[in-house]
Amino acid sequence: MDAAPAAGHPRSSGPSPAASVRTRVTIPLRFPDGYEVTADAVTFHGLADGEEHVALVLGDPTAAPAPLVRLHSECLTGDVFGSARCDCGPQLREAVERIAATGGVLLYLRQEGRSIGLYNKLDAYALQDAGLDTYDANTALGLPEDGRDYTAAAQMLTALGIGELDLLTNNPDKAGQLRELGVPVRFVRPTGVFATDSNVRYLHAKAERTHHTIALPEQAGPGTVSTLAG
């Protein structure tokens, strides 16, 4: 079931306007656990929202019947500083290795805090500490529960020559938006669920409020990974 569009953020539909590749450069990546891989980082002209999104092309996207693609929303706290309040950092690490193994693309989208920005996200954290869940905290600040629009992602995929794809996500809204934008999603491949004592409430909120296909363990501990769902 696709999640409903977020209030105050109308969803785009139909084929997206054309964008083009701006630069492509090879970057060796190394993660804190020692995993290393080489990626082609691609930037773009003409993205609809004007943001500096980047694509990481990993492995050979033409090697499989459909390349594996992840739309990963920027999370400074989780991706860079290793915050345990979310599962973004572990999902990013997992996605890079899985995509590199089969061939595909990771789109790193500048959508901090589900597109509310870093400062607002930290304000929402304070409200979560007072008892609100991640979605109610956003609305208490006068912001959408999820303000992300994936028009730019569709443009990036088209500019890279990606047609039918397999989407790596637990969020049904990503597949729903891409299909509405004319991007054929063949299969949705679930990510791992990296549940810990610090983020299990956040994960429950995603499952209950926006129908993320995640299965949570009864109790979570450091480094717990639940069974894949969907």
Side-chain angles (χ1 to χ4, degrees):
M1 177 178 180
D2 287 350
H9 193 95
R11 172 184 289 176
S12 298
S13 61
S16 51
S20 60
V21 170
R22 176 179 174 272
T23 56
R24 185 170 182 138
V25 60
T26 300
I27 300 176
L29 305 179
R30 189 174 191 276
F31 288 81
D33 64 0
Y35 174 71
E36 298 183 14
V37 69
T38 298
D40 282 353
V42 184
T43 63
F44 300 87
H45 287 299
L47 297 180
D49 57 10
E51 297 290 345
E52 293 187 334
H53 307 299
V54 63
L56 296 180
V57 180
L58 296 150
D60 180 2
T62 67
L68 187 61
V69 171
R70 174 162 175 78
L71 315 185
H72 187 89
S73 297
E74 177 183 43
C75 178
L76 177 70
T77 51
D79 296 342
V80 177
F81 298 119
S83 169
R85 292 187 67 138
C86 64
D87 59 344
C88 302
Q91 282 195 327
L92 176 63
R93 165 65 181 82
E94 176 204 37
V96 169
E97 185 169 6
R98 288 178 63 180
I99 294 170
T102 63
V105 181
L106 185 141
L107 302 186
Y108 196 81
L109 305 173
R110 312 303 297 274
Q111 300 171 328
E112 185 77 51
R114 299 194 299 275
S115 279
I116 66 172
L118 178 60
Y119 279 19
N120 283 326
K121 184 175 82 171
L122 296 177
D123 290 343
Y125 275 0
L127 293 175
Q128 291 169 42
D129 289 343
L132 297 184
D133 72 24
T134 180
Y135 299 100
D136 288 336
N138 280 18
T139 57
L141 293 170
L143 300 166
E145 290 184 354
D146 188 338
R148 290 174 293 182
D149 181 297
Y150 297 106
T151 300
Q155 291 178 294
M156 294 162 77
L157 293 167
T158 300
L160 290 170
I162 302 294
E164 187 176 55
L165 58 87
D166 289 350
L167 188 65
L168 183 60
T169 187
N170 295 328
N171 181 358
D173 187 48
K174 292 181 179 180
Q177 285 203 42
L178 285 183
R179 286 170 174 145
E180 289 179 4
L181 289 160
V183 176
V185 177
R186 187 181 69 152
F187 297 121
V188 174
R189 308 290 188 188
T191 72
V193 180
F194 301 89
T196 69
D197 290 336
S198 298
N199 70 18
V200 69
R201 182 167 170 261
Y202 161 83
L203 295 176
H204 273 293
K206 291 207 295 186
E208 293 167 3
R209 298 290 294 270
T210 51
H211 309 291
H212 280 58
T213 53
I214 55 180
L216 292 167
E218 292 296 325
Q219 293 183 332
T224 298
V225 181
S226 81
T227 303
L228 296 182

